[in-house]
Amino acid sequence: IHDWDGLTDYEIKRSEMLHELGYAVFATDLFGKGVRPTEVVDKKQHTGALYKDREKMRSIMQAGMMKAKELGGNVDNAVAMGYCFGGAAVLELARSGAKVNGFASFHGGLSTPEGQDYKATQGKVLVMHGTADSMITMADFAGLADELEGAGVAHEMVTYGGAPHAFTVFGSDRYDEVADTQSWTLFTGFLEAHTK
């Protein structure tokens, strides 16, 4: 699942990297065809609309899984992953009770909306977070750890010292090569462990 820029070349590159490892990949577009916001105000508007309508967010992700299945993907043997906004969306999918083997969030939003919890979560949760992230704090990270532990959800949560928000985005001023490399290695191991 993409970040707040929409489904761009970044997600396509990551999908290609996974395909090269032998995985079937489907990138779900939560904003809609051709919607690629470039201004912060537009990014906030598109993500904000989905944050306000969690049922719509869930239904789009479920539709993405059904489309992946229609195209020949084995959604009964799947892991969902996302970046930034997409990481928050993946955690929403986890809370929805989706039958997915694992949920991986790279520098994603970690807060749980009021009235929601992880009691229905069926797969393991992997959270990769930058300790220097000024947008999603270590208090948010600790809060999620408490929630997952309290709900009895299998999880692994890792922080990368000095890594800011969006630390995996190639070519950006926030890119942290060490954190990116380590988190990608962790994620690919997670895929091996949670897919058949």
Side-chain angles (χ1 to χ4, degrees):
I1 308 289
H2 57 79
D3 64 16
W4 73 344
D5 296 336
L7 206 167
T8 65
D9 289 344
Y10 176 75
E11 290 79 19
I12 292 168
K13 173 62 177 170
R14 291 292 183 175
S15 297
E16 289 170 346
M17 289 168 68
L18 290 169
H19 181 69
E20 288 168 10
L21 294 174
Y23 294 99
V25 184
F26 186 86
T28 301
D29 185 346
L30 296 185
F31 292 166
K33 186 175 181 180
V35 179
R36 305 293 179 263
T38 56
E39 301 298 324
V40 169
V41 65
D42 297 324
K43 294 174 185 184
K44 286 183 177 179
Q45 186 271 318
H46 288 291
T47 57
L50 289 172
Y51 280 138
K52 288 177 186 170
D53 190 348
R54 298 294 180 135
E55 287 305 315
K56 181 177 181 180
M57 184 191 292
R58 290 179 180 197
S59 69
I60 294 169
M61 288 187 286
Q62 287 292 342
M65 289 179 64
M66 291 306 97
K67 185 64 177 180
K69 183 176 182 177
E70 180 185 314
L71 294 171
N74 182 359
V75 298
D76 296 321
N77 184 33
V79 167
M81 60 92 82
Y83 294 93
C84 297
F85 165 70
V90 163
L91 293 178
E92 183 70 31
L93 189 63
R95 290 188 298 272
S96 77
K99 293 181 180 178
V100 176
N101 297 353
F103 304 90
S105 170
F106 288 86
H107 44 78
L110 304 178
S111 60
T112 300
E114 188 175 336
Q116 287 194 24
D117 58 44
Y118 284 87
K119 290 177 184 168
T121 302
Q122 298 190 43
K124 184 173 181 179
V125 173
L126 173 63
V127 174
M128 294 153 287
H129 182 72
T131 312
D133 191 327
S134 59
M135 297 179 72
I136 293 101
T137 67
M138 288 304 295
D140 296 328
F141 182 87
L144 177 58
D146 287 341
E147 283 186 73
L148 293 172
E149 190 65 27
V153 174
H155 63 281
E156 182 174 357
M157 299 177 66
V158 178
T159 62
Y160 300 98
H165 188 66
F167 62 80
T168 66
V169 181
F170 310 118
S172 76
D173 58 357
R174 295 178 176 186
Y175 182 70
D176 185 309
E177 185 176 5
V178 172
D180 176 39
T181 302
Q182 290 179 353
S183 62
W184 187 254
T185 299
L186 181 62
F187 174 63
T188 55
F190 183 78
L191 279 175
E192 289 175 19
H194 297 286
T195 55
K196 301 176 188 92

